[in-house]
Amino acid sequence: WNPSAVDAMMSRNDQESLTALGEAYKSAADNIGLSNLAPKDIGDTLRQGGTFVFKGEDILLEHYDGKVGDNCEIEKILASISK
């Protein structure tokens, strides 16, 4: 983690809450197993996010961000909900 990210986290949380969060993650890893907490395809851990539009069970739009800031164009989202 870069220092600015750590500083931002620390400004929003106190040491006690961060310690509790760390203990919760450790407990999950100990009880479930670290390998079961990660996706089967380790490449999925690199996914930045995405945009999905559904109508019932049908997917109208599926966009996976390739990197930070690679958001779906609003025109595509609006077009998908106009179908």
Side-chain angles (χ1 to χ4, degrees):
W1 292 19
N2 66 44
S4 61
V6 173
D7 291 343
M9 279 180 34
M10 292 303 290
S11 71
R12 293 190 307 265
N13 301 285
D14 60 16
Q15 186 63 42
E16 183 179 346
S17 67
L18 291 173
T19 298
L21 180 61
E23 289 171 354
Y25 279 120
K26 182 178 182 326
S27 177
D30 290 346
N31 292 321
I32 298 170
L34 190 57
S35 63
N36 291 326
L37 291 174
K40 299 297 180 211
D41 179 354
I42 200 67
D44 287 341
T45 62
L46 302 175
R47 189 150 334 275
Q48 295 293 317
T51 303
F52 305 89
V53 177
F54 293 90
K55 184 173 187 177
E57 293 186 14
D58 297 328
I59 188 158
L60 303 179
L61 175 70
E62 182 176 10
H63 171 87
Y64 294 95
D65 299 349
K67 60 185 177 192
V68 174
D70 180 29
N71 303 318
C72 187
E73 296 174 17
I74 190 69
E75 293 82 8
K76 290 182 179 181
I77 298 168
L78 294 173
S80 74
I81 63 173
S82 299
K83 293 180 182 179

